Amino acid sequence: MTISIDGDAALPWHGQPYSIKRFGTSIDNCASEPVQTPGCIQTHGALLVVQPDDLLILQASENTEQVLGHPASALAGASLATVLGDDGANRVRSFLECNSTDCNPIYLFSHPARDADMLLDVSVHTIDGVAIVEFEETERAGKEAPDYLSRLKASVARLQQAASLQDLGDIAAAEVRALTGLDRVMVYQFHEDGHGEVVAESRRADLSPWLGLHYPAEDIPEPAREVFRQVWIRPLQQVGVPIAEMVPLAHPTTGKALTMTYCALRAPSAIYTEYLQNMGVTAGLTMSIRRGDKLWGLIAGHHYSGPARFPYGLRAACELLAQIVSLQHQSAEERGQLAYRLKLDEIQQQLITLAARQGDLAAMCDSTPNLLDAMDAGGVALFHCDRWWRIGETPSEPQLDALKGWLQTRPELMTPFRPVVASHCLGRDYAGGAGIGDVASGLLAISLSQRHSNLVIWFRPEMRGTIKWAGDPDEKPMVTGPHGARLTPRRSFEIFTASVQGQSSPWKAVEIDSAIRFRITLMELIVSRAEQLAELNADLAQSNEELDAFAYIASHDLKEPLRGIFKYVHQLGETGTLTDPSSRARLDGLKRLTLRMDSLLDSLLHFSRVGRVMLHFDDVSIDEVVAEALEMVDARRTEKASEVLIPRSLPNALCDRVRIREVFVNLLSNAFKYNDKPSAHIEIGYLAPHELARRAHWPQDTGTGPVYFVRDNGIGIRPRHFDQLFKMFKRLHGRDAFGGGTGAGLAIVKKLVERHGGQVWLDSEPDQGSTFYFSLPAGTATSHAPDT
Ligand code: ADP
């Protein structure tokens, strides 16, 4: 939406100073128009340029005859007293002598117009060594001027109530409209990238709303913005009426174009006029909103029902209002941001309390509020425990995996001060971004761990999909001038929406800061959780040690009386005193039970030793260990047909050779033992870390070393028993089934593997067979060549 076209180039135009009247329609590039030296004025007033010391008239607007009763040609070289009389001229002179009016027009007095019914406001300012005297038609003579000051006072009181920036904009639009009586007043904000947006609006009820309308940066070209950095207010009393040129067009002695930046009567550019006409605007008033020396936005008023009057008093009130809005702006924004920040903080706090209570980050995803409420976004994905949790509109899991890969390469994710990745144009920043733009044109990511194993990523959809055309989409330009339909809000909006393809609305500083704070608190939670776990593990290790010590003492001490019992049972049998068959059977039973108890005590003793013995870590050839273990279980092997397959050489491990041999012996003997097939097929192999395709019940982190396995085609195990198997004395079969056993083997395997820092688990299907896996720390020599 073009607002105004202004510029400061005072260059001659085709060898002459610029004049809108002569050259305005040939302009087609707003950015090049010298709008601060337009050479013309609006015709509801007249303008004289005088020498400040002697008040001799240098230039006069060509309409002085109609307004002041003196033809411009007669005024060149005449004294200002010709127009104002001696009294008026003296007042101007003494005012110029005593006051600084450089670039600051000041109202001096009212002067009767040629049409004696009307009064003219006379205001004066100096610039570039000349004094500019403006005569503006104001109220009818004798009519009392409205009390703008009291109205302003009430407006200021209301502005002071603003709780947020939005509030301030709404109140400012309403107050300016109430003061001026204009049909529509809008507050425009310039965004970081220069594009604009209507952020507040007060309008006549029958007009269609333009609130939320965006327009490209070029619509308010730099020359126009420059003017609004210098002047607070820009009145345009009537659009499309003839304008009056200065006579002569340039300074008669220096030839310099007249700088009219501060003139209330300055004529509007041809393109701006055309744009306003295309919208049916008949009069306009624009004010700047500044933050320090930065132009933050504009308050723009449109009138659609004929000319509007903006007398000096009204302009002064509006100007003051714009200045107060500018001053209040920062504190209103801070108040609004604080409220938003507090809202986000409160939600984050609730989420963290929840995650802490449940001991799981994923709890933040199915709660109310949830992780998506913690940010103004379209979707959020949490990567935690090797899987994704998603809420709202997010890319698919394979797309998220790829995105995670890209994020892991981003150095900013680990910078100490702002460890976030924030993009509102992902398609530009990330090669895979183009395909996910509809849901993820914007991304804000935080990592909660060194290796990025916990990530939170918020997504924003493409802006085009979220911006709504505020007014009637079929609204057509009222008039189409030489520059065509380009100069209409509808067209501007279309151009803007095309320009933001692939972009989301940008992340605000308050949102990025909030994400950073959230990350810190979440990481504190993770660390304190890890500390708790470490403490629990230490406690557990200690009680395990105590249990081992107890088991050792108990089994060791129990063995001695058991030996005594066994001896007496044996002697009783030898004496031959028990002759009846039932007594003998009982005695045999007693013998068997004693033997079983003895083997149980042996197992317990061994188990407790396994927990206490010192391990001797070495770089061990697992190929050799397996060969030894196979030799040891050979006896069992020969009981029936069997085939042992080792498809490829096994990598070395950093381990205690004897203990890991024991692990293989236990697993291999079980593989032969729990096998009802005519021929036992056993496979011994390994998986390198990159070959691991984790399944639901597999451990999350198996370290960086290889995972060995022993696979059989035996009786298999039901999944519900998987956890039970590794418990001490746990057997799934009758005491003597499958050759009997104490149920200690797998408990010992688990303890040995865990003492190496590894883990053990299994896959199995009843009747099909079982595979027991265990992980170990990697040794130095690894061989991946298949064995032939
Ligand atoms: P034991 O063999 O002395 O009973 P283990 O601790 O080695 O003790 O094994 C516990 C139980 O797990 C066994 O009783 C058996 O039921 C089951 N089991 C172990 N290995 C296998 C296997 N390869 N196939 C099927 N079942 C097995």
PDB file of all heavy atoms in Angstrom, residues 666-667 670-675 712 714-717 725-727 729-733 740-747 764 769-770 772, ligand 1:
ATOM      1  N   ASN A 666      27.639 -70.677  29.061  1.00  0.00           N
ATOM      2  CA  ASN A 666      26.248 -70.729  29.531  1.00  0.00           C
ATOM      3  C   ASN A 666      25.260 -70.621  28.384  1.00  0.00           C
ATOM      4  O   ASN A 666      24.298 -71.397  28.297  1.00  0.00           O
ATOM      5  CB  ASN A 666      25.987 -69.584  30.509  1.00  0.00           C
ATOM      6  CG  ASN A 666      26.344 -69.978  31.930  1.00  0.00           C
ATOM      7  OD1 ASN A 666      25.992 -71.052  32.388  1.00  0.00           O
ATOM      8  ND2 ASN A 666      27.090 -69.124  32.610  1.00  0.00           N
ATOM      9  N   LEU A 667      25.493 -69.647  27.495  1.00  0.00           N
ATOM     10  CA  LEU A 667      24.537 -69.441  26.391  1.00  0.00           C
ATOM     11  C   LEU A 667      24.546 -70.624  25.429  1.00  0.00           C
ATOM     12  O   LEU A 667      23.487 -71.077  24.974  1.00  0.00           O
ATOM     13  CB  LEU A 667      24.860 -68.141  25.641  1.00  0.00           C
ATOM     14  CG  LEU A 667      24.695 -66.846  26.445  1.00  0.00           C
ATOM     15  CD1 LEU A 667      25.051 -65.635  25.580  1.00  0.00           C
ATOM     16  CD2 LEU A 667      23.249 -66.708  26.955  1.00  0.00           C
ATOM     17  N   ASN A 670      22.877 -73.721  26.975  1.00  0.00           N
ATOM     18  CA  ASN A 670      21.413 -73.575  26.918  1.00  0.00           C
ATOM     19  C   ASN A 670      20.903 -73.803  25.493  1.00  0.00           C
ATOM     20  O   ASN A 670      19.847 -74.416  25.285  1.00  0.00           O
ATOM     21  CB  ASN A 670      20.989 -72.181  27.368  1.00  0.00           C
ATOM     22  CG  ASN A 670      20.985 -72.055  28.882  1.00  0.00           C
ATOM     23  OD1 ASN A 670      21.113 -73.053  29.588  1.00  0.00           O
ATOM     24  ND2 ASN A 670      20.847 -70.830  29.378  1.00  0.00           N
ATOM     25  N   ALA A 671      21.649 -73.289  24.511  1.00  0.00           N
ATOM     26  CA  ALA A 671      21.216 -73.416  23.120  1.00  0.00           C
ATOM     27  C   ALA A 671      21.121 -74.888  22.700  1.00  0.00           C
ATOM     28  O   ALA A 671      20.225 -75.280  21.959  1.00  0.00           O
ATOM     29  CB  ALA A 671      22.177 -72.658  22.203  1.00  0.00           C
ATOM     30  N   PHE A 672      22.045 -75.681  23.203  1.00  0.00           N
ATOM     31  CA  PHE A 672      21.978 -77.126  22.898  1.00  0.00           C
ATOM     32  C   PHE A 672      20.898 -77.805  23.738  1.00  0.00           C
ATOM     33  O   PHE A 672      20.167 -78.651  23.268  1.00  0.00           O
ATOM     34  CB  PHE A 672      23.330 -77.792  23.198  1.00  0.00           C
ATOM     35  CG  PHE A 672      24.374 -77.461  22.164  1.00  0.00           C
ATOM     36  CD1 PHE A 672      25.474 -76.691  22.492  1.00  0.00           C
ATOM     37  CD2 PHE A 672      24.262 -77.935  20.867  1.00  0.00           C
ATOM     38  CE1 PHE A 672      26.437 -76.389  21.549  1.00  0.00           C
ATOM     39  CE2 PHE A 672      25.218 -77.628  19.915  1.00  0.00           C
ATOM     40  CZ  PHE A 672      26.314 -76.852  20.248  1.00  0.00           C
ATOM     41  N   LYS A 673      20.858 -77.329  25.024  1.00  0.00           N
ATOM     42  CA  LYS A 673      19.994 -78.007  25.987  1.00  0.00           C
ATOM     43  C   LYS A 673      18.508 -77.831  25.652  1.00  0.00           C
ATOM     44  O   LYS A 673      17.755 -78.798  25.627  1.00  0.00           O
ATOM     45  CB  LYS A 673      20.309 -77.425  27.369  1.00  0.00           C
ATOM     46  CG  LYS A 673      19.729 -78.182  28.530  1.00  0.00           C
ATOM     47  CD  LYS A 673      20.522 -77.875  29.813  1.00  0.00           C
ATOM     48  CE  LYS A 673      19.931 -76.723  30.570  1.00  0.00           C
ATOM     49  NZ  LYS A 673      20.478 -76.533  31.904  1.00  0.00           N
ATOM     50  N   TYR A 674      18.120 -76.599  25.414  1.00  0.00           N
ATOM     51  CA  TYR A 674      16.686 -76.325  25.214  1.00  0.00           C
ATOM     52  C   TYR A 674      16.335 -76.428  23.737  1.00  0.00           C
ATOM     53  O   TYR A 674      15.913 -75.479  23.112  1.00  0.00           O
ATOM     54  CB  TYR A 674      16.315 -74.962  25.793  1.00  0.00           C
ATOM     55  CG  TYR A 674      16.579 -74.930  27.284  1.00  0.00           C
ATOM     56  CD1 TYR A 674      17.671 -74.241  27.797  1.00  0.00           C
ATOM     57  CD2 TYR A 674      15.753 -75.642  28.155  1.00  0.00           C
ATOM     58  CE1 TYR A 674      17.943 -74.257  29.154  1.00  0.00           C
ATOM     59  CE2 TYR A 674      16.022 -75.662  29.517  1.00  0.00           C
ATOM     60  CZ  TYR A 674      17.111 -74.969  30.013  1.00  0.00           C
ATOM     61  OH  TYR A 674      17.382 -75.002  31.357  1.00  0.00           O
ATOM     62  N   ASN A 675      16.611 -77.596  23.209  1.00  0.00           N
ATOM     63  CA  ASN A 675      16.403 -77.806  21.784  1.00  0.00           C
ATOM     64  C   ASN A 675      15.760 -79.161  21.564  1.00  0.00           C
ATOM     65  O   ASN A 675      16.310 -80.187  21.962  1.00  0.00           O
ATOM     66  CB  ASN A 675      17.772 -77.733  21.074  1.00  0.00           C
ATOM     67  CG  ASN A 675      17.611 -77.371  19.622  1.00  0.00           C
ATOM     68  OD1 ASN A 675      16.752 -77.939  18.950  1.00  0.00           O
ATOM     69  ND2 ASN A 675      18.412 -76.429  19.150  1.00  0.00           N
ATOM     70  N   ASP A 712      19.708 -70.024  18.379  1.00  0.00           N
ATOM     71  CA  ASP A 712      19.430 -71.464  18.255  1.00  0.00           C
ATOM     72  C   ASP A 712      18.078 -71.669  17.586  1.00  0.00           C
ATOM     73  O   ASP A 712      17.311 -70.724  17.421  1.00  0.00           O
ATOM     74  CB  ASP A 712      19.475 -72.136  19.636  1.00  0.00           C
ATOM     75  CG  ASP A 712      18.414 -71.610  20.587  1.00  0.00           C
ATOM     76  OD1 ASP A 712      17.219 -71.660  20.235  1.00  0.00           O
ATOM     77  OD2 ASP A 712      18.771 -71.121  21.693  1.00  0.00           O
ATOM     78  N   GLY A 714      15.907 -73.767  18.890  1.00  0.00           N
ATOM     79  CA  GLY A 714      15.330 -74.603  19.937  1.00  0.00           C
ATOM     80  C   GLY A 714      13.863 -74.347  20.232  1.00  0.00           C
ATOM     81  O   GLY A 714      13.096 -73.899  19.364  1.00  0.00           O
ATOM     82  N   ILE A 715      13.509 -74.560  21.498  1.00  0.00           N
ATOM     83  CA  ILE A 715      12.086 -74.545  21.875  1.00  0.00           C
ATOM     84  C   ILE A 715      11.505 -73.131  21.936  1.00  0.00           C
ATOM     85  O   ILE A 715      10.298 -72.948  21.900  1.00  0.00           O
ATOM     86  CB  ILE A 715      11.859 -75.243  23.241  1.00  0.00           C
ATOM     87  CG1 ILE A 715      12.679 -74.539  24.333  1.00  0.00           C
ATOM     88  CG2 ILE A 715      12.192 -76.716  23.162  1.00  0.00           C
ATOM     89  CD1 ILE A 715      12.356 -75.015  25.734  1.00  0.00           C
ATOM     90  N   GLY A 716      12.381 -72.153  22.030  1.00  0.00           N
ATOM     91  CA  GLY A 716      11.904 -70.763  22.075  1.00  0.00           C
ATOM     92  C   GLY A 716      11.280 -70.394  23.418  1.00  0.00           C
ATOM     93  O   GLY A 716      11.074 -71.275  24.280  1.00  0.00           O
ATOM     94  N   ILE A 717      11.002 -69.106  23.586  1.00  0.00           N
ATOM     95  CA  ILE A 717      10.497 -68.594  24.872  1.00  0.00           C
ATOM     96  C   ILE A 717       9.401 -67.572  24.590  1.00  0.00           C
ATOM     97  O   ILE A 717       9.531 -66.771  23.665  1.00  0.00           O
ATOM     98  CB  ILE A 717      11.641 -67.894  25.654  1.00  0.00           C
ATOM     99  CG1 ILE A 717      12.790 -68.890  25.890  1.00  0.00           C
ATOM    100  CG2 ILE A 717      11.164 -67.315  26.970  1.00  0.00           C
ATOM    101  CD1 ILE A 717      14.116 -68.223  26.127  1.00  0.00           C
ATOM    102  N   LEU A 725      13.706 -64.601  32.940  1.00  0.00           N
ATOM    103  CA  LEU A 725      14.776 -65.564  32.701  1.00  0.00           C
ATOM    104  C   LEU A 725      16.081 -65.255  33.415  1.00  0.00           C
ATOM    105  O   LEU A 725      16.828 -66.145  33.781  1.00  0.00           O
ATOM    106  CB  LEU A 725      15.109 -65.571  31.203  1.00  0.00           C
ATOM    107  CG  LEU A 725      14.090 -66.183  30.288  1.00  0.00           C
ATOM    108  CD1 LEU A 725      14.628 -66.206  28.878  1.00  0.00           C
ATOM    109  CD2 LEU A 725      13.809 -67.583  30.760  1.00  0.00           C
ATOM    110  N   PHE A 726      16.331 -63.935  33.544  1.00  0.00           N
ATOM    111  CA  PHE A 726      17.644 -63.541  34.069  1.00  0.00           C
ATOM    112  C   PHE A 726      17.648 -63.483  35.597  1.00  0.00           C
ATOM    113  O   PHE A 726      18.620 -63.064  36.193  1.00  0.00           O
ATOM    114  CB  PHE A 726      18.058 -62.185  33.475  1.00  0.00           C
ATOM    115  CG  PHE A 726      18.230 -62.250  31.981  1.00  0.00           C
ATOM    116  CD1 PHE A 726      17.233 -61.807  31.118  1.00  0.00           C
ATOM    117  CD2 PHE A 726      19.393 -62.797  31.435  1.00  0.00           C
ATOM    118  CE1 PHE A 726      17.383 -61.891  29.755  1.00  0.00           C
ATOM    119  CE2 PHE A 726      19.542 -62.885  30.060  1.00  0.00           C
ATOM    120  CZ  PHE A 726      18.544 -62.427  29.213  1.00  0.00           C
ATOM    121  N   LYS A 727      16.533 -63.883  36.213  1.00  0.00           N
ATOM    122  CA  LYS A 727      16.492 -63.881  37.678  1.00  0.00           C
ATOM    123  C   LYS A 727      17.115 -65.172  38.213  1.00  0.00           C
ATOM    124  O   LYS A 727      16.995 -66.237  37.605  1.00  0.00           O
ATOM    125  CB  LYS A 727      15.046 -63.753  38.161  1.00  0.00           C
ATOM    126  CG  LYS A 727      14.493 -62.377  37.837  1.00  0.00           C
ATOM    127  CD  LYS A 727      13.253 -62.088  38.610  1.00  0.00           C
ATOM    128  CE  LYS A 727      12.854 -60.645  38.353  1.00  0.00           C
ATOM    129  NZ  LYS A 727      11.461 -60.508  38.033  1.00  0.00           N
ATOM    130  N   PHE A 729      17.763 -68.537  39.974  1.00  0.00           N
ATOM    131  CA  PHE A 729      16.978 -69.761  40.215  1.00  0.00           C
ATOM    132  C   PHE A 729      15.665 -69.812  39.435  1.00  0.00           C
ATOM    133  O   PHE A 729      14.779 -70.591  39.762  1.00  0.00           O
ATOM    134  CB  PHE A 729      16.667 -69.949  41.718  1.00  0.00           C
ATOM    135  CG  PHE A 729      17.901 -70.065  42.570  1.00  0.00           C
ATOM    136  CD1 PHE A 729      17.969 -69.437  43.801  1.00  0.00           C
ATOM    137  CD2 PHE A 729      18.994 -70.822  42.137  1.00  0.00           C
ATOM    138  CE1 PHE A 729      19.104 -69.542  44.590  1.00  0.00           C
ATOM    139  CE2 PHE A 729      20.136 -70.927  42.929  1.00  0.00           C
ATOM    140  CZ  PHE A 729      20.189 -70.274  44.155  1.00  0.00           C
ATOM    141  N   LYS A 730      15.544 -68.950  38.421  1.00  0.00           N
ATOM    142  CA  LYS A 730      14.296 -68.964  37.652  1.00  0.00           C
ATOM    143  C   LYS A 730      14.430 -69.977  36.523  1.00  0.00           C
ATOM    144  O   LYS A 730      15.334 -69.873  35.688  1.00  0.00           O
ATOM    145  CB  LYS A 730      14.021 -67.560  37.091  1.00  0.00           C
ATOM    146  CG  LYS A 730      12.747 -67.467  36.301  1.00  0.00           C
ATOM    147  CD  LYS A 730      11.548 -67.535  37.210  1.00  0.00           C
ATOM    148  CE  LYS A 730      10.271 -67.753  36.410  1.00  0.00           C
ATOM    149  NZ  LYS A 730       9.108 -67.954  37.258  1.00  0.00           N
ATOM    150  N   ARG A 731      13.515 -70.957  36.540  1.00  0.00           N
ATOM    151  CA  ARG A 731      13.470 -71.926  35.434  1.00  0.00           C
ATOM    152  C   ARG A 731      12.066 -71.894  34.862  1.00  0.00           C
ATOM    153  O   ARG A 731      11.102 -71.684  35.601  1.00  0.00           O
ATOM    154  CB  ARG A 731      13.750 -73.347  35.926  1.00  0.00           C
ATOM    155  CG  ARG A 731      15.114 -73.543  36.520  1.00  0.00           C
ATOM    156  CD  ARG A 731      15.513 -75.010  36.424  1.00  0.00           C
ATOM    157  NE  ARG A 731      16.001 -75.348  35.102  1.00  0.00           N
ATOM    158  CZ  ARG A 731      15.714 -76.491  34.472  1.00  0.00           C
ATOM    159  NH1 ARG A 731      14.930 -77.374  35.030  1.00  0.00           N
ATOM    160  NH2 ARG A 731      16.194 -76.733  33.259  1.00  0.00           N
ATOM    161  N   LEU A 732      11.995 -72.108  33.573  1.00  0.00           N
ATOM    162  CA  LEU A 732      10.660 -72.103  32.972  1.00  0.00           C
ATOM    163  C   LEU A 732      10.101 -73.523  32.891  1.00  0.00           C
ATOM    164  O   LEU A 732       8.983 -73.720  32.441  1.00  0.00           O
ATOM    165  CB  LEU A 732      10.707 -71.491  31.570  1.00  0.00           C
ATOM    166  CG  LEU A 732      11.222 -70.056  31.480  1.00  0.00           C
ATOM    167  CD1 LEU A 732      11.213 -69.581  30.038  1.00  0.00           C
ATOM    168  CD2 LEU A 732      10.348 -69.141  32.328  1.00  0.00           C
ATOM    169  N   HIS A 733      10.939 -74.488  33.303  1.00  0.00           N
ATOM    170  CA  HIS A 733      10.521 -75.889  33.154  1.00  0.00           C
ATOM    171  C   HIS A 733      10.598 -76.619  34.483  1.00  0.00           C
ATOM    172  O   HIS A 733      11.164 -76.112  35.445  1.00  0.00           O
ATOM    173  CB  HIS A 733      11.421 -76.605  32.145  1.00  0.00           C
ATOM    174  CG  HIS A 733      11.484 -75.868  30.849  1.00  0.00           C
ATOM    175  ND1 HIS A 733      12.519 -75.014  30.547  1.00  0.00           N
ATOM    176  CD2 HIS A 733      10.612 -75.822  29.841  1.00  0.00           C
ATOM    177  CE1 HIS A 733      12.287 -74.469  29.369  1.00  0.00           C
ATOM    178  NE2 HIS A 733      11.123 -74.940  28.906  1.00  0.00           N
ATOM    179  N   GLY A 740      17.628 -80.874  33.441  1.00  0.00           N
ATOM    180  CA  GLY A 740      17.696 -80.230  34.763  1.00  0.00           C
ATOM    181  C   GLY A 740      18.603 -79.007  34.775  1.00  0.00           C
ATOM    182  O   GLY A 740      19.242 -78.677  33.774  1.00  0.00           O
ATOM    183  N   GLY A 741      18.619 -78.353  35.886  1.00  0.00           N
ATOM    184  CA  GLY A 741      19.462 -77.154  36.045  1.00  0.00           C
ATOM    185  C   GLY A 741      19.016 -76.391  37.267  1.00  0.00           C
ATOM    186  O   GLY A 741      17.941 -76.662  37.815  1.00  0.00           O
ATOM    187  N   THR A 742      19.811 -75.445  37.684  1.00  0.00           N
ATOM    188  CA  THR A 742      19.466 -74.691  38.897  1.00  0.00           C
ATOM    189  C   THR A 742      18.781 -73.357  38.587  1.00  0.00           C
ATOM    190  O   THR A 742      18.311 -72.658  39.467  1.00  0.00           O
ATOM    191  CB  THR A 742      20.726 -74.379  39.721  1.00  0.00           C
ATOM    192  OG1 THR A 742      21.619 -73.640  38.898  1.00  0.00           O
ATOM    193  CG2 THR A 742      21.389 -75.639  40.233  1.00  0.00           C
ATOM    194  N   GLY A 743      18.822 -72.954  37.338  1.00  0.00           N
ATOM    195  CA  GLY A 743      18.232 -71.649  36.980  1.00  0.00           C
ATOM    196  C   GLY A 743      19.161 -70.495  37.338  1.00  0.00           C
ATOM    197  O   GLY A 743      18.696 -69.365  37.529  1.00  0.00           O
ATOM    198  N   ALA A 744      20.460 -70.794  37.424  1.00  0.00           N
ATOM    199  CA  ALA A 744      21.400 -69.725  37.794  1.00  0.00           C
ATOM    200  C   ALA A 744      22.183 -69.203  36.589  1.00  0.00           C
ATOM    201  O   ALA A 744      22.732 -68.099  36.624  1.00  0.00           O
ATOM    202  CB  ALA A 744      22.379 -70.232  38.839  1.00  0.00           C
ATOM    203  N   GLY A 745      22.236 -70.030  35.500  1.00  0.00           N
ATOM    204  CA  GLY A 745      23.126 -69.703  34.366  1.00  0.00           C
ATOM    205  C   GLY A 745      22.913 -68.298  33.800  1.00  0.00           C
ATOM    206  O   GLY A 745      23.867 -67.523  33.669  1.00  0.00           O
ATOM    207  N   LEU A 746      21.647 -67.941  33.488  1.00  0.00           N
ATOM    208  CA  LEU A 746      21.402 -66.640  32.844  1.00  0.00           C
ATOM    209  C   LEU A 746      21.602 -65.479  33.822  1.00  0.00           C
ATOM    210  O   LEU A 746      21.996 -64.384  33.431  1.00  0.00           O
ATOM    211  CB  LEU A 746      20.012 -66.598  32.220  1.00  0.00           C
ATOM    212  CG  LEU A 746      19.856 -67.443  30.940  1.00  0.00           C
ATOM    213  CD1 LEU A 746      18.426 -67.358  30.414  1.00  0.00           C
ATOM    214  CD2 LEU A 746      20.841 -66.995  29.863  1.00  0.00           C
ATOM    215  N   ALA A 747      21.307 -65.757  35.127  1.00  0.00           N
ATOM    216  CA  ALA A 747      21.548 -64.702  36.129  1.00  0.00           C
ATOM    217  C   ALA A 747      23.056 -64.402  36.164  1.00  0.00           C
ATOM    218  O   ALA A 747      23.464 -63.236  36.263  1.00  0.00           O
ATOM    219  CB  ALA A 747      21.054 -65.147  37.487  1.00  0.00           C
ATOM    220  N   SER A 764      12.954 -64.022  20.824  1.00  0.00           N
ATOM    221  CA  SER A 764      12.620 -65.447  20.745  1.00  0.00           C
ATOM    222  C   SER A 764      11.194 -65.641  20.288  1.00  0.00           C
ATOM    223  O   SER A 764      10.350 -64.766  20.482  1.00  0.00           O
ATOM    224  CB  SER A 764      12.812 -66.085  22.125  1.00  0.00           C
ATOM    225  OG  SER A 764      12.580 -67.470  22.040  1.00  0.00           O
ATOM    226  N   GLY A 769      12.863 -70.806  18.050  1.00  0.00           N
ATOM    227  CA  GLY A 769      14.242 -70.643  18.513  1.00  0.00           C
ATOM    228  C   GLY A 769      14.431 -69.301  19.212  1.00  0.00           C
ATOM    229  O   GLY A 769      13.517 -68.477  19.264  1.00  0.00           O
ATOM    230  N   SER A 770      15.640 -69.129  19.753  1.00  0.00           N
ATOM    231  CA  SER A 770      15.939 -67.916  20.532  1.00  0.00           C
ATOM    232  C   SER A 770      17.276 -67.344  20.093  1.00  0.00           C
ATOM    233  O   SER A 770      18.147 -68.068  19.604  1.00  0.00           O
ATOM    234  CB  SER A 770      16.043 -68.228  22.021  1.00  0.00           C
ATOM    235  OG  SER A 770      14.950 -68.996  22.430  1.00  0.00           O
ATOM    236  N   PHE A 772      20.110 -64.858  21.948  1.00  0.00           N
ATOM    237  CA  PHE A 772      20.551 -64.093  23.115  1.00  0.00           C
ATOM    238  C   PHE A 772      21.648 -63.133  22.660  1.00  0.00           C
ATOM    239  O   PHE A 772      22.609 -63.547  22.009  1.00  0.00           O
ATOM    240  CB  PHE A 772      21.083 -65.018  24.220  1.00  0.00           C
ATOM    241  CG  PHE A 772      19.979 -65.695  24.974  1.00  0.00           C
ATOM    242  CD1 PHE A 772      19.353 -66.833  24.465  1.00  0.00           C
ATOM    243  CD2 PHE A 772      19.541 -65.191  26.194  1.00  0.00           C
ATOM    244  CE1 PHE A 772      18.324 -67.441  25.161  1.00  0.00           C
ATOM    245  CE2 PHE A 772      18.513 -65.796  26.896  1.00  0.00           C
ATOM    246  CZ  PHE A 772      17.894 -66.921  26.371  1.00  0.00           C
TER     247      PHE A 772
HETATM  248  P1  ADP B   1      19.047 -73.410  33.813  1.00  0.00           P
HETATM  249  O1  ADP B   1      19.435 -73.712  32.426  1.00  0.00           O
HETATM  250  O2  ADP B   1      19.950 -73.907  34.803  1.00  0.00           O
HETATM  251  O3  ADP B   1      17.614 -73.698  34.090  1.00  0.00           O
HETATM  252  P2  ADP B   1      19.369 -70.684  33.090  1.00  0.00           P
HETATM  253  O4  ADP B   1      19.419 -69.475  33.962  1.00  0.00           O
HETATM  254  O5  ADP B   1      20.490 -70.912  32.177  1.00  0.00           O
HETATM  255  O6  ADP B   1      19.121 -71.852  34.036  1.00  0.00           O
HETATM  256  O7  ADP B   1      18.053 -70.593  32.247  1.00  0.00           O
HETATM  257  C1  ADP B   1      16.846 -70.221  32.865  1.00  0.00           C
HETATM  258  C2  ADP B   1      15.680 -70.760  32.071  1.00  0.00           C
HETATM  259  O8  ADP B   1      15.587 -70.107  30.826  1.00  0.00           O
HETATM  260  C3  ADP B   1      15.825 -72.179  31.696  1.00  0.00           C
HETATM  261  O9  ADP B   1      15.288 -72.995  32.722  1.00  0.00           O
HETATM  262  C4  ADP B   1      14.988 -72.286  30.429  1.00  0.00           C
HETATM  263  O10 ADP B   1      13.651 -72.499  30.777  1.00  0.00           O
HETATM  264  C5  ADP B   1      15.145 -70.969  29.810  1.00  0.00           C
HETATM  265  N1  ADP B   1      16.149 -70.935  28.712  1.00  0.00           N
HETATM  266  C6  ADP B   1      17.439 -70.581  28.819  1.00  0.00           C
HETATM  267  N2  ADP B   1      18.028 -70.635  27.614  1.00  0.00           N
HETATM  268  C7  ADP B   1      17.118 -71.037  26.725  1.00  0.00           C
HETATM  269  C8  ADP B   1      17.119 -71.305  25.321  1.00  0.00           C
HETATM  270  N3  ADP B   1      18.202 -71.145  24.573  1.00  0.00           N
HETATM  271  N4  ADP B   1      15.960 -71.689  24.741  1.00  0.00           N
HETATM  272  C9  ADP B   1      14.840 -71.825  25.482  1.00  0.00           C
HETATM  273  N5  ADP B   1      14.776 -71.628  26.814  1.00  0.00           N
HETATM  274  C10 ADP B   1      15.905 -71.227  27.440  1.00  0.00           C
END
